[in-house]
């Protein structure tokens, strides 16, 4: 990322998700109860709580509040998984331009970012994107 955050994606039967930061790390291979017992202080960041994203979406349509997972956050969150899957399928390192949302100098990887659209959707897409 521009701010220096580095993302490493690996695949294999013994891999899980592990987040490392300046104050420690967390993994989905750890005991989830350890997280449940962690107390978040009053001055620390508290995330929006939602136990049911479907219900949260309907409630927010009715109330006009922002959802627990706004579209932009959802898009940015899943992008990394899609990019990792493309890199694993191609079995190569890839350079990503987050502003253009395209791979640098890799037409094959860029062709895997979306499926080919049928008409009339392809024309409508080109009209709004260009």
């Amino acid at each position: 990322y521009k701010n220096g955050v580095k993302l490493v994606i690996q695949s294999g039967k013994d891999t899980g998700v592990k987040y490392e930061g300046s104050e420690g790390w967390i993994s989905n291979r750890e005991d989830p109860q350890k997280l449940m017992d962690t107390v978040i202080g009053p001055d620390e960041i508290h995330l929006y709580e939602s136990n049911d994203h479907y219900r949260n979406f309907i409630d927010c349509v009715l109330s006009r509040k922002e959802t627990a997972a706004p579209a932009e956050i959802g898009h940015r969150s899943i992008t990394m998984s899609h990019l990792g899957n493309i890199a694993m399928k191609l079995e190569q390192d890839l350079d990503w331009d987050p502003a253009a949302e395209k791979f640098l100098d890799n037409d094959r990887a860029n062709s895997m970012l979306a499926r080919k659209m049928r008409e009339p959707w392809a024309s409508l897409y080109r009209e709004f994107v260009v």
Side-chain angles (χ1 to χ4, degrees), residues 2 10-11 20 27 29 32 34 47 50 57 83 87 94 109 124 130:
K2 260 185 180 177
Q10 297 174 316
S11 160
E20 293 185 37
S27 168
R29 298 279 182 182
K34 180 179 173 183
L47 301 178
S50 172
F57 176 76
L83 301 183
L94 298 169
L124 289 169
V130 176

Side-chain angles (χ1 to χ4, degrees), residues 70-113:
E72 178 74 11
I73 299 298
H75 171 67
R76 298 292 173 206
S77 298
I78 198 61
T79 295
M80 292 299 100
S81 296
H82 292 314
L83 301 183
N85 284 331
I86 293 170
M88 287 191 294
K89 284 183 181 188
L90 295 177
E91 298 180 343
Q92 59 185 207
D93 292 344
L94 298 169
D95 291 315
W96 178 249
D97 179 343
E101 294 195 1
K102 294 199 181 277
F103 292 104
L104 301 175
D105 303 319
N106 197 315
D107 292 336
R108 184 159 182 232
N110 283 321
S111 74
M112 298 172 78
L113 290 171

